[in-house]
Amino acid sequence: MLITRFDPFKQFRELEKDFYKYPSNEGVSGFVPVVNTREGEFAYHIDVDLPGVDKKDIKVDIHKGILTISGERKTKAEIKEEDYYKVETSFGKFSRSFTLPDNADVENVEASGENGVLEVVIPKLSEEKHKKIIEIK
């Protein structure tokens, strides 16, 4: 008998895999950027692969504790030859959202892009700012 550890989020991860199908080589499909997240000592980092997306076509906003990165990857000039026509690049509108932890400093979020990668840095609040002491009356 094989004993495995219970994972309450296993089904959610499987659903997410089905939801974010990556483009195949069979025709043109929607663009879904790949995201890497990591937590550092002083900040959370979100790296989004956005090759071919202009900075002016990207929007980063925070509303009610949810950070949303959205935009559009536009098509390039079409090349049509007499005997063939093929497009493998995916394009279209995209949106990825992330629930921010309670200790995220939403007032000082920074975003920068270089070499087709958007990096969003969400600083952490210090324990003193995050901690609230309630006075007893």
Side-chain angles (χ1 to χ4, degrees), residues 24-103:
S24 65
N25 288 335
E26 299 175 18
V28 179
S29 59
F31 175 59
V32 179
V34 178
V35 175
N36 295 318
T37 59
R38 68 187 187 282
E39 179 180 356
E41 186 178 348
F42 301 106
Y44 299 98
H45 302 267
I46 301 173
D47 297 325
V48 186
D49 288 342
L50 296 171
V53 179
D54 196 325
K55 288 181 187 179
K56 67 179 176 54
D57 295 326
I58 302 169
K59 181 180 175 187
V60 179
D61 65 289
I62 298 172
H63 181 66
K64 294 185 178 180
I66 298 176
L67 179 128
T68 302
I69 301 168
S70 59
E72 183 174 7
R73 184 177 189 189
K74 298 181 179 173
T75 59
K76 295 182 180 180
E78 295 182 10
I79 299 175
K80 294 182 181 181
E81 297 292 330
E82 263 182 45
D83 55 347
Y84 74 91
Y85 174 72
K86 184 168 181 160
V87 176
E88 291 187 358
T89 306
S90 28
F91 58 91
K93 293 183 179 185
F94 63 88
S95 180
R96 298 292 303 263
S97 296
F98 306 89
T99 302
L100 297 176
D102 292 336
N103 67 339

